[in-house]
Amino acid sequence: EVMEDVEAFDPTEEQLEILVSIYSAGGEASIADVVTGDVTQTSMVLDTLREEELVVDGESGAALTRKGKMIVTSYLESVNA
């Protein structure tokens, strides 16, 4: 079921940037670490990622869920292929 969700999710470039930023930070990052432009826009994108259950609030900021990690790994594999 999780794999179906991962395959069905078609992230925008901005969503992917944020997911990869969190992943690169070790799986958890503060909003300041993932802002790629406008803070308000980044917050809105993070809200969407929370709704999609890809990101949760961790101790020090946004943290990837298992599903979020799977999307990032799939993306990185496709880029490196």
Side-chain angles (χ1 to χ4, degrees):
E1 186 183 315
V2 173
M3 281 307 292
E4 287 175 14
D5 288 348
V6 168
E7 290 168 8
F9 183 70
D10 186 21
T12 65
E13 193 173 313
E14 197 168 18
Q15 288 172 328
L16 264 177
E17 275 182 39
I18 291 173
L19 290 171
V20 170
S21 295
I22 296 169
Y23 181 84
S24 299
E28 189 169 325
S30 69
I31 290 184
D33 294 334
V34 296
V35 171
T36 55
D38 181 26
V39 177
T40 308
Q41 179 65 23
T42 301
S43 293
M44 288 170 41
V45 173
L46 274 169
D47 287 342
T48 304
L49 294 173
R50 283 186 193 98
E51 288 167 17
E52 294 286 339
E53 298 176 355
L54 302 176
V55 172
V56 292
D57 293 318
E59 289 178 26
S60 61
L64 293 177
T65 63
R66 183 169 161 241
K67 194 161 106 175
K69 288 177 189 165
M70 290 171 76
I71 285 177
V72 173
T73 358
S74 296
Y75 167 72
L76 294 174
E77 285 173 4
S78 72
V79 168
N80 293 329

